[in-house]
Amino acid sequence: MIKKNLLRSAAAAPHIVWSVLFIVFPLLFVAYFAFTDGAGAFTLENITSLGEHTQTFVLSIALSIIATFICFLIGYPLAYIITTAPESHQKFYMLLLMLPMWTNLLIRTYSMMAIMDDGGLINNILAALDWGQIHLIGTKGAVVFGMVYDFLPYMVLPIYTVMSKIDRRLLEAARDLGCSPVQVLLKVIVPLSMSGVISGITMVFVPSISTFYISQKLGGGTFELLGDTIERQFQNEATYNVGAAIALVMMVLILISLAVMNRFGDDDEGGVVL
Amino acid sequence: MKRIIELQNISKAFDGETVLDNISLEIYDGEFITLLGPSGCGKTTTLRLIGGFETADEGNVYFKGKRINDVPAHKRHVNTVFQKYALFPHLNVFENIAFSLRLQKVEKKEIISRVKEILEMVSLKGFEHKNVTLLSGGQQQRVAIARALISHPKVLLLDEPLGALDLKLRKDMQNELKNIQKQTGITFIYVTHDQEEALSMSDRVVVMSDGRIQQIGTPTDIYNEPVNAFVADFIGESNIVDGVMPEDQKVRFAGHTFECVDSGFAPGEAVDVVVRPEDVDVVSPEKGHLKGTVTAVTFKGVHYEIIVDIGGFKWMIQSTDYAAEGDHIGLFIEPEAIHIMKKSEYSGLYGDYSSFSDELEELSDADSVEED
């Protein structure tokens, strides 16, 4: 028995070493930098100075919420439609959904630039049809579009997983007891897939709020999101500590919202991150 | 009696495989009717057709004289107790039971009093706020029954509702279900592969096999007057031997001509003869109609189960008298104990106990629970 336990801990060792080296230490470093000045002395100045970034915080949160909401609006029905398809087709549809993720995020974002540019694909088509031009690149809409496009699979996947596990007999039972098809959806499928929705929202919201690449490329540098601000602070050695402070505050905000979400989930079954 | 449901020449196939083959059945208001048969006989499909979860390829389903083939499940006055209960895990006991009332926008006060009343009927008083996933199988079953009954359906469909319960609990629930049916006067359509359950609960039993109805009748009729070898074998134990009817009320089998009570066969017609194991008397060899050697004896509590070899055919006898393996014994069969059946496609397939063993029997039972 003791031997077995030893073996088990030995097997877990690489994971623990990995976690400590690459997750715990970096987090401690972030916290350390956030609460020290350039000389290494303790200070709260970094945190208190964050007031000047309020606008960035608000904009980042707003755009991420909008992107997450759109992902939900598209992702939920999509996941539902996939679960109603014959089982043999479902894998294929999920593959189609995952396919773009095999391409690097960078390349995908660049191609979106090419599509939305003033001289890009969309405007070329519009020009050819003589329908005038629209300015897409550099707008907040373009950034939200990029977030939705890049992170949609993260919304669909957990919802699909939870939904496909719902016992079909429950749906029959609901129909039997007098539910119209719409009522089956509202009274059984929606409440039973909430844990997937919460995972999906988390998995889209977190990368959306911390992205810097999408906003730089599709936002065209006209405005800044939190990710960009952090990146800019870290590129300059003098503002390292401010960058760390922003990162820390953002992390705390995300953790708080996750905790709130999980409370809403009120569910011990799979699908929930954290 | 008033007809409440009628199935007319129903056929149904899944992926080209026939599941129901021209089934016609009338179900009367207020009766307890059981669809009985082995797995794959089409009994569950028949139930689902009535519930509105399947549509017939051919034929019609009538409810109180109205054709309901195209009426969706949620608009039928029929509720179902599902095989594994299918309770909503996100709702507590109260909300599960109140589900259909809430859909009908019944007043809150009335919902509360009706749920309370029905919980008492299924002996779950005080369980309102329990989480359904934490209940035992028997309790979940009661919630499922309460949920299906609360909106006073005209017909309750029960799909092997006791299949997942252990034996003791099953017996108790059988009695309770029967009581609930009597109390409420609702028509029960019950599906099971357990013949004992079917016989003890039903007003009428419908024996099914291979997508066809083999026999419809009261439990006594089905047991005493099976129409063919399949029914005789499926309901209880039976010795089924080849025989010939030389004239009315005479049948010759196992080398002996017996008096019997059946008539109406052509002179010299080949028939299947059924003799139930409990209807055979064990006597001394010289007093018996038939003589044979005991090849196996099993003590069953109430009686001994004795396998007797008579001219190569193994008979099963249930007797309170003991006979040892190797004994020569005589068998005495009274005219009333002999039941004559017309030859059918099932002739010769059943009723010989040469390869009989309890273990096999149990194995095949377990199979049918799994599959259906």
Side-chain angles (χ1 to χ4, degrees):
Chain A
M1 207 54 206
I2 292 167
K3 227 178 186 178
K4 216 174 183 180
N5 281 340
L6 268 177
L7 212 73
R8 207 172 282 169
S9 13
H15 173 71
I16 293 169
V17 171
W18 176 276
S19 305
V20 170
L21 263 182
F22 295 105
I23 299 174
V24 178
F25 267 144
L27 282 179
L28 289 176
F29 269 116
V30 171
Y32 170 78
F33 279 117
F35 289 108
T36 51
D37 60 18
F42 176 78
T43 175
L44 285 174
E45 208 174 299
N46 301 321
I47 306 283
T48 50
S49 75
L50 288 184
E52 49 189 276
H53 296 289
T54 310
Q55 226 180 351
T56 316
F57 267 98
V58 171
L59 183 64
S60 287
I61 291 171
L63 291 190
S64 306
I65 287 176
I66 293 169
T68 308
F69 187 63
I70 295 173
C71 276
F72 169 74
L73 284 186
I74 301 171
Y76 195 85
L78 191 59
Y80 176 68
I81 290 166
I82 294 174
T83 51
T84 56
E87 220 162 296
S88 50
H89 297 188
Q90 291 185 16
K91 284 210 177 85
F92 177 69
Y93 294 144
M94 288 314 284
L95 182 77
L96 282 185
L97 187 76
M98 293 297 149
L99 214 56
M101 294 175 71
W102 296 0
T103 315
N104 189 297
L105 178 74
L106 234 102
I107 295 172
R108 272 185 287 157
T109 313
Y110 263 111
S111 17
M112 263 186 283
M113 275 175 75
I115 292 169
M116 293 196 280
D117 218 8
D118 287 343
L121 188 66
I122 294 178
N123 277 313
N124 279 340
I125 292 173
L126 288 177
L129 292 169
D130 218 7
W131 284 355
Q133 296 278 296
I134 44 170
H135 180 63
L136 295 167
I137 206 86
T139 62
K140 297 184 176 80
V143 174
V144 170
F145 179 85
M147 288 174 177
V148 170
Y149 175 74
D150 279 332
F151 304 131
L152 180 64
Y154 298 121
M155 178 65 80
V156 180
L157 194 63
I159 296 177
Y160 165 77
T161 308
V162 172
M163 249 188 212
S164 62
K165 271 193 264 175
I166 296 176
D167 191 341
R168 313 302 289 175
R169 274 174 309 205
L170 293 179
L171 312 186
E172 284 189 355
R175 278 166 59 200
D176 187 71
L177 292 166
C179 278
S180 66
V182 175
Q183 286 171 321
V184 173
L185 182 70
L186 294 180
K187 293 195 176 281
V188 181
I189 299 175
V190 168
L192 287 178
S193 55
M194 273 325 277
S195 63
V197 171
I198 285 166
S199 296
I201 289 176
T202 313
M203 288 172 74
V204 173
F205 182 72
V206 172
S208 294
I209 201 170
S210 53
T211 184
F212 61 94
Y213 207 79
I214 296 173
S215 48
Q216 272 174 22
K217 295 301 160 207
L218 302 180
T222 50
F223 54 90
E224 212 176 56
L225 295 187
L226 275 178
D228 308 308
T229 312
I230 295 170
E231 195 206 12
R232 198 160 44 80
Q233 308 295 337
F234 273 95
Q235 274 166 352
N236 177 355
E237 209 166 316
T239 51
Y240 242 63
N241 306 74
V242 177
I246 300 173
L248 190 72
V249 169
M250 192 175 84
M251 204 161 69
V252 169
L253 284 179
I254 290 174
L255 283 176
I256 290 171
S257 48
L258 288 193
V260 172
M261 295 287 291
N262 276 334
R263 192 135 288 255
F264 274 117
D266 183 44
D267 189 317
D268 44 6
E269 273 175 77
V272 179
V273 180
L274 195 86
Chain B
M1 269 193 294
K2 239 173 52 199
R3 268 195 313 236
I4 187 151
I5 285 177
E6 189 179 351
L7 304 181
Q8 203 180 61
N9 304 102
I10 301 272
S11 291
K12 172 87 187 163
F14 291 116
D15 301 324
E17 203 161 313
T18 305
V19 182
L20 291 178
D21 184 3
N22 197 16
I23 284 211
S24 293
L25 176 63
E26 290 177 353
I27 293 165
Y28 302 113
D29 198 6
E31 74 171 332
F32 193 127
I33 191 167
T34 299
L35 309 180
L36 172 68
S39 64
C41 73
K43 56 189 191 298
T44 297
T45 309
T46 308
L47 200 74
R48 292 173 60 80
L49 271 163
I50 298 171
F53 301 113
E54 305 284 356
T55 47
D57 297 341
E58 277 170 55
N60 294 312
V61 184
Y62 294 97
F63 182 82
K64 288 188 167 172
K66 277 203 197 94
R67 186 173 175 276
I68 55 163
N69 286 39
D70 308 315
V71 177
H74 67 278
K75 290 192 178 146
R76 296 191 182 190
H77 299 284
V78 165
N79 282 349
T80 310
V81 176
F82 290 87
Q83 203 168 15
K84 285 187 184 118
Y85 324 136
L87 299 178
F88 303 118
H90 59 296
L91 301 177
N92 65 17
V93 170
F94 183 92
E95 289 302 329
N96 259 284
I97 295 175
F99 195 83
S100 59
L101 298 184
R102 290 229 192 273
L103 288 171
Q104 293 162 23
K105 306 252 186 295
V106 175
E107 228 179 295
K108 247 189 194 137
K109 262 191 194 160
E110 197 191 332
I111 293 182
I112 293 171
S113 74
R114 272 167 77 175
V115 171
K116 199 174 163 213
E117 188 187 349
I118 205 143
L119 275 174
E120 254 171 66
M121 186 164 91
V122 297
S123 343
L124 282 181
K125 210 173 156 183
F127 275 65
E128 281 93 338
H129 303 293
K130 292 241 157 80
N131 180 339
V132 289
T133 56
L134 301 179
L135 299 181
S136 72
Q139 290 165 342
Q140 290 191 29
Q141 178 59 262
R142 287 157 199 267
V143 175
I145 292 166
R147 183 179 70 176
L149 281 176
I150 196 148
S151 58
H152 305 309
K154 295 277 174 262
V155 177
L156 188 69
L157 309 178
L158 301 104
D159 185 8
E160 305 239 11
L162 309 182
L165 305 181
D166 61 55
L167 190 66
K168 174 85 177 60
L169 202 54
R170 205 145 83 195
K171 299 267 176 209
D172 294 345
M173 283 304 291
Q174 284 176 14
N175 288 331
E176 266 185 67
L177 275 176
K178 186 74 202 166
N179 286 337
I180 290 173
Q181 195 261 336
K182 274 189 195 150
Q183 258 181 60
T184 56
I186 293 172
T187 310
F188 274 36
I189 307 179
Y190 194 96
V191 158
T192 184
H193 67 274
D194 182 337
Q195 44 108 0
E196 217 179 294
E197 202 165 280
L199 294 181
S200 59
M201 297 171 82
S202 324
D203 296 322
R204 286 197 304 155
V205 177
V206 180
V207 185
M208 296 181 68
S209 159
D210 304 315
R212 288 192 299 270
I213 292 177
Q214 302 295 333
Q215 188 169 5
I216 305 175
T218 65
T220 334
D221 285 348
I222 298 267
Y223 189 84
N224 291 337
E225 313 275 337
V227 293
N228 62 30
F230 175 83
V231 178
D233 181 74
F234 197 77
I235 313 290
E237 299 290 349
S238 20
N239 301 290
I240 305 170
V241 292
D242 290 328
V244 174
M245 294 277 285
E247 57 187 277
D248 277 354
Q249 291 165 10
K250 286 251 179 338
V251 61
R252 183 170 180 81
F253 61 88
H256 185 92
T257 305
F258 290 83
E259 299 275 330
C260 68
V261 291
D262 298 78
S263 55
F265 293 85
E269 184 173 340
V271 292
D272 283 335
V273 180
V274 185
V275 180
R276 296 287 185 186
E278 69 273 18
D279 292 339
V280 181
D281 292 326
V282 176
V283 293
S284 58
E286 57 274 12
K287 280 190 191 154
H289 296 124
L290 305 172
K291 296 174 215 16
T293 315
V294 176
T295 60
V297 183
T298 318
F299 180 57
K300 289 285 181 184
V302 184
H303 57 251
Y304 293 97
E305 199 165 86
I306 304 167
I307 305 291
V308 187
D309 186 331
I310 298 169
F313 191 93
K314 301 264 172 81
W315 287 63
M316 178 194 275
I317 314 295
Q318 289 168 353
S319 165
T320 47
D321 299 325
Y322 177 74
E325 215 176 298
D327 279 0
H328 282 281
I329 58 169
L331 302 184
F332 184 85
I333 305 170
E334 287 187 44
E336 288 78 22
I338 296 169
H339 173 66
I340 312 290
M341 306 181 301
K342 288 234 182 242
K343 283 280 179 194
S344 71
E345 61 182 300
Y346 297 105
S347 296
L349 295 177
Y350 303 103
D352 176 11
Y353 286 92
S354 34
S355 58
F356 175 76
S357 87
D358 282 344
E359 217 170 313
L360 271 177
E361 195 92 318
E362 266 161 36
L363 275 178
S364 60
D365 272 359
D367 261 3
S368 51
V369 176
E370 289 287 309
E371 285 167 29
D372 219 65

